[in-house]
Amino acid sequence: MLLNCLYIIIGVALVLAGADRLTEGASSIARRFGVPEIVIGLTIVACGTSMPEFFVSLMSALNGTPDMAVGNVVGSNIMNAMLIVGCSAVVAPMVISPSTVKKDIPFSVAASLLLILLGVDSAIGRWDGGILLVGFAAFMAYTLWQAKGAKTEQTAESKPQNIWLSVLWIVLGLAGLVFGSDLFVDSASSVAAGLGVSESVIGLTIVAGGTSLPELATSVVAARKGQSAIAIGNVIGSNVFNILLILGATAVISPLQMEGITLLDMGVMMGSITLVWLFSFTRFTVERWEGVLLIAGYLGYLGWLLSNV
C-alpha cells in the first residue's frame, strides 16, 4: 500500500513535468514559425495543461477502468469550478469581463449539459465521442474567430530556443505523460482495491486532484498577481477541453461505461459551473465570500463522497 502511494506521487510528478516540458517545447517551435502568441495560448498551452487529464483518462480506459476515466474529468471539472475558483477569489476578488460572462462561461455550461444528456444511458460510445469532438471543433473555431479581432502582442524571446532542444522537450514530455499516467492509474487502482473504494470515487477525488494541480497553481498565482481574466479563463478552457476533447477522444478510442458515476456527480459538475456563472453576474465579480461558499460546497461534496464509501 505504501509503495503504491509512493508510485502515485511519482506518477503525478512525471505527468505534471511532462505536460510542462511538452507545452514549452511546442510553444517554442510555434513561435519560431511565427504563430501569434494568442493562438499559442488558446491551443498549445490550453492543450498542454489538459494533457494530464487526457493521458490519465486514456490509460484508465485502455486498462479497463472506465469509471476512473470519466471520474477524472467530472471530478476535475468540479474541482476547477468550486475549489480553484473559490481559492482564487479568496486570494483576490475575480473581475470577469462581460464577454466572458455572456459568451465563454455559457459554452462550459452547455458542454456539461451535453455530457449529461449523452451519459444518461451510463455509457459514452464512439458516436457520443464523435459528437463531443465536433463540439470541441466548434468551440475552437469560435475562439479563434474571436481572437482574430483581438489585439495581439508578440513577446520577443531574447534567445530563441534551439529547435532540437524544443523537439527533445516534446519527446521527453510525451514520455513523462505516458509513463507517469500509466504508473499513476495502476497505483491508484491498486489503492482502490486495497481499501475497498470504488474506482469512480478514486477518479473523482485522488485522480482528479492530481491532474488538476496545473490549473490550481496557474489560477491562484494569476489571481494573486491581479490577472483574474487568466484565472477564470484557465478554468473555463480546462472544463471545456476536459469534456469535449478528452472524453470525446477517449470514447472514440475506447467506448466508456460509467456505472459508478451517478447523476448526482454529473449534477454537481453542472451546478458548480452554473453557480460560478450566476456569481459572475453580480457586478461581473466573484467576491471573497462567494469564493468561501464555493470552497465549502466542494468540501461538502467531498465529505459526502467519502461518507458513502
Side-chain angles (χ1 to χ4, degrees), residues 1-303:
M1 181 66 72
L2 288 175
L3 190 59
N4 279 320
C5 289
L6 177 62
Y7 286 157
I8 287 175
I9 295 170
I10 294 172
V12 169
L14 284 172
V15 166
L16 297 181
D20 183 58
R21 294 296 91 189
L22 175 65
T23 303
E24 182 179 330
S27 298
S28 180
I29 289 176
R31 288 190 188 95
R32 181 175 286 273
F33 286 98
V35 178
E37 286 286 321
I38 190 165
V39 175
I40 295 172
L42 289 169
T43 55
I44 297 170
V45 176
C47 280
T49 57
S50 290
M51 281 296 102
E53 284 90 346
F54 176 67
F55 275 88
V56 169
S57 290
L58 179 61
M59 290 299 178
S60 297
L62 294 177
N63 288 348
T65 54
D67 278 354
M68 192 178 291
V70 181
N72 174 33
V73 166
V74 173
S76 290
N77 281 17
I78 292 172
M79 185 175 179
N80 285 349
M82 300 188 83
L83 184 64
I84 295 178
V85 172
C87 289
S88 300
V90 168
V91 169
M94 299 176 70
V95 179
I96 304 172
S97 69
S99 64
T100 298
V101 174
K102 295 174 183 176
K103 297 176 183 178
D104 298 327
I105 299 180
F107 213 112
S108 184
V109 173
S112 300
L113 180 60
L114 179 61
L115 178 58
I116 292 174
L117 293 175
L118 294 177
V120 162
D121 58 352
S122 297
I124 303 177
R126 286 195 168 93
W127 280 105
D128 297 331
I131 292 171
L132 292 173
L133 288 177
V134 168
F136 175 73
F139 171 72
M140 288 304 298
Y142 168 72
T143 303
L144 294 173
W145 175 75
Q146 272 195 318
K148 278 186 178 180
K151 184 180 179 182
T152 62
E153 294 180 7
Q154 290 289 84
T155 56
E157 295 183 45
S158 55
K159 280 188 178 180
Q161 192 177 85
N162 183 283
I163 187 76
W164 294 111
L165 181 59
S166 299
V167 172
L168 176 63
W169 283 145
I170 291 174
V171 173
L172 290 177
L174 285 171
L177 283 165
V178 172
F179 181 73
S181 57
D182 192 40
L183 180 66
F184 183 77
V185 169
D186 284 345
S187 303
S189 299
S190 298
V191 170
L195 297 175
V197 179
S198 69
E199 288 160 356
S200 59
V201 172
I202 291 291
L204 287 164
T205 54
I206 297 173
V207 178
T211 57
S212 290
L213 287 177
E215 287 87 355
L216 177 61
T218 301
S219 292
V220 171
V221 170
R224 187 178 178 186
K225 292 180 177 179
Q227 299 170 323
S228 55
I230 293 177
I232 192 68
N234 179 39
V235 167
I236 296 167
S238 177
N239 279 18
V240 173
F241 269 67
N242 286 350
I243 293 173
L244 299 181
L245 176 63
I246 294 171
L247 279 186
T250 302
V252 167
I253 295 169
S254 178
L256 302 168
Q257 297 292 327
M258 47 181 201
E259 298 173 359
I261 307 300
T262 66
L263 279 176
L264 177 64
D265 299 319
M266 294 286 204
V268 172
M269 177 189 68
M270 175 81 178
S272 60
I273 192 63
T274 303
L275 192 58
V276 170
W277 192 25
L278 293 174
F279 283 164
S280 63
F281 272 107
T282 56
R283 296 183 297 174
F284 296 110
T285 304
V286 180
E287 303 286 357
R288 280 194 170 92
W289 71 267
E290 291 170 328
V292 171
L293 193 61
L294 288 170
I295 294 171
Y298 180 75
L299 293 177
Y301 169 70
L302 202 61

